[in-house]
Amino acid sequence: MAEDQMPSTDIVTLTRHILAQQIRLGPAATGDLTLLLNAIQVTSKFIATNVRKARLINLVGLAGETNVQGEEQKKLDVLSNDIMVNALRASGKTAVLVSEELDEAIIIEKRLRGKYCVVFDPLDGSSNIDAGVNIGTIFGIYKVQEGSEGTISDVLKPGKDMVAAGYTMYGSSANLVLTTGQGVNGYTLDNALGEFILTHPDIKIPQRGKIYSFNEGNSMYFHEPVLKYLESIKYPKTGKAPYSARYIGSMVADVHRTLLYGGIFGYPNDKKTKTGKLRLLYEAFPMAMLTEQAGGVATTGTQRILDIEPTEIHQRCPVFLGSKEDVEDLMSFYKEA
């Protein structure tokens, strides 16, 4: 019988990992992005704690307001937004903040202004809070343009200009997935240590998967290319096994599974939602950056998501992302249309 192995004592925390990346950059690194990412991980810990005890302290249910999207705000939505805004402002490293929960962008006052802009959805999938389904925080980071003091134009830029993106998923564990343009790494919150530990280094999405993730309840509204693609993977003509359907209804959870296991996630525009439902700046862009950094593809069906030029902060777009071969199969149906 093999001897029990001692657990590794060389624990790589999120802080240690991003500091190591900063050191590799040498004199070019100012440490500002490192401090900003540290502020984001602190907010993730704070929100994770509140998600776990939400039922006990009456944070589930409606807060009696609607956000800019016309969605009823949950109490935990409002709290998560306040936590994010306050922590990012206090970091002294941000100039502009854009939140799903706020109609207008926040321009940080001069004494606390930094050189980064953060766009975020403080609690994605919040309609699932009461059901105990995984929910999460999505964020993307831009650098303020040279010569700018921080205006709305600093965030109305293509996703390819983002310097970092990620999400934290709150469920049976809290998982933070992050890219700074050098691949994708995943961290899990150790509640005893109070630290995010590197558990999924250098995530690579499989070239092809076996899972599709679409809300087929909207099938009657889907356009022809999407219907034909779904038909091709549910009833393959080549003798291959059909794909399995997995749809949680929380983008963070669905994309997290897609990153790890491969396949395709899709939320198309259709006859009912002409421009799609997912928000470009703080949902589509960060998830597209993560997907591409992991070796996958993210598209609207006809255009690379990261190439889109936003015209407003709450703009929407169709989203298909996942394994390279799966997404390319879907795009072929759009080319034929």
Side-chain angles (χ1 to χ4, degrees):
M1 186 176 184
E3 288 184 23
D4 290 340
Q5 288 190 337
M6 292 290 289
S8 172
T9 54
D10 186 21
I11 297 172
V12 180
T13 65
L14 173 56
T15 304
R16 172 181 162 183
H17 205 211
I18 58 180
L19 280 171
Q21 289 181 337
Q22 178 188 323
I23 291 166
R24 278 198 295 273
L25 288 173
T30 63
D32 284 358
L33 182 59
T34 300
L35 290 169
L36 178 55
L37 291 172
N38 194 57
I40 289 173
Q41 74 159 316
V42 170
T43 65
S44 295
K45 294 173 190 176
F46 196 175
I47 295 170
T49 299
N50 283 290
V51 167
R52 286 180 179 275
K53 60 186 182 185
R55 175 65 69 182
L56 298 174
I57 57 176
N58 198 29
L59 282 173
V60 294
L62 299 175
E65 299 175 12
T66 57
N67 64 14
V68 66
Q69 316 301 334
E71 302 161 336
E72 290 184 314
Q73 288 177 302
K74 301 279 185 171
K75 294 174 185 175
L76 201 51
D77 270 17
V78 178
L79 177 66
S80 300
N81 183 67
D82 289 347
I83 291 168
M84 289 285 289
V85 169
N86 290 333
L88 293 172
R89 175 186 276 124
S91 73
K93 302 303 174 188
T94 58
V96 183
L97 305 178
V98 173
S99 169
E100 185 201 24
E101 302 298 332
L102 302 173
D103 295 13
E104 305 292 336
I106 296 174
I107 308 298
I108 302 298
E109 57 269 35
K110 201 161 189 176
R111 66 185 181 84
L112 290 174
R113 194 173 299 160
K115 61 181 182 182
Y116 290 100
C117 307
V118 185
V119 293
F120 58 92
D121 182 347
L123 209 59
D124 175 71
S126 56
S127 60
N128 292 312
I129 291 171
D130 294 9
V133 173
N134 284 12
I135 53 182
T137 300
I138 309 172
F139 60 90
I141 302 173
Y142 288 101
K143 198 168 186 178
V144 172
Q145 299 171 85
E146 197 72 40
S148 172
E149 290 193 0
T151 67
I152 199 74
S153 64
D154 288 306
V155 294
L156 291 179
K157 298 191 294 186
K160 63 187 177 186
D161 291 345
M162 280 185 171
V163 296
Y167 61 81
T168 306
M169 183 176 69
Y170 314 109
S172 56
S173 59
N175 300 91
L176 193 154
V177 177
L178 175 69
T179 179
T180 55
Q182 303 171 60
V184 180
N185 292 290
Y187 309 83
T188 303
L189 181 61
D190 184 319
N191 290 305
L193 293 176
E195 291 282 357
F196 279 101
I197 308 299
L198 179 65
T199 51
H200 295 78
D202 196 22
I203 294 171
K204 294 294 182 191
I205 189 167
Q207 288 291 290
R208 181 176 290 281
K210 301 175 182 176
I211 297 169
Y212 72 98
S213 185
F214 287 67
N215 181 0
E216 289 193 271
N218 289 329
S219 289
M220 67 179 286
Y221 306 112
F222 286 172
H223 294 304
E224 199 67 24
V226 179
L227 291 171
K228 284 183 175 178
Y229 172 71
L230 291 175
E231 183 82 5
S232 75
I233 58 175
K234 291 192 291 184
Y235 304 98
K237 295 175 182 175
T238 55
K240 294 179 182 176
Y243 278 41
S244 298
R246 299 284 185 275
Y247 184 72
I248 298 167
S250 168
M251 188 189 191
V252 168
D254 282 314
V255 172
H256 188 69
R257 183 197 57 248
T258 304
L259 279 177
L260 295 182
Y261 302 149
I264 183 169
F265 166 83
Y267 211 114
N269 60 335
D270 54 34
K271 295 164 191 170
K272 185 172 68 170
T273 53
K274 307 290 185 187
T275 57
K277 186 179 178 186
L278 297 176
R279 268 69 61 160
L280 182 62
L281 270 187
Y282 41 80
E283 290 178 327
F285 277 169
M287 293 309 200
M289 183 178 181
L290 285 163
T291 301
E292 288 197 5
Q293 284 291 316
V297 174
T299 178
T300 63
T302 57
Q303 180 183 11
R304 180 189 180 214
I305 288 174
L306 293 179
D307 285 339
I308 299 173
E309 296 265 1
T311 55
E312 54 182 292
I313 60 173
H314 296 297
Q315 186 173 332
R316 299 171 188 258
C317 79
V319 173
F320 303 98
L321 57 81
S323 295
K324 183 175 184 288
E325 293 178 11
D326 289 317
V327 179
E328 286 174 347
D329 286 350
L330 173 119
M331 290 165 66
S332 70
F333 286 94
Y334 273 92
K335 287 174 184 171
E336 291 169 9

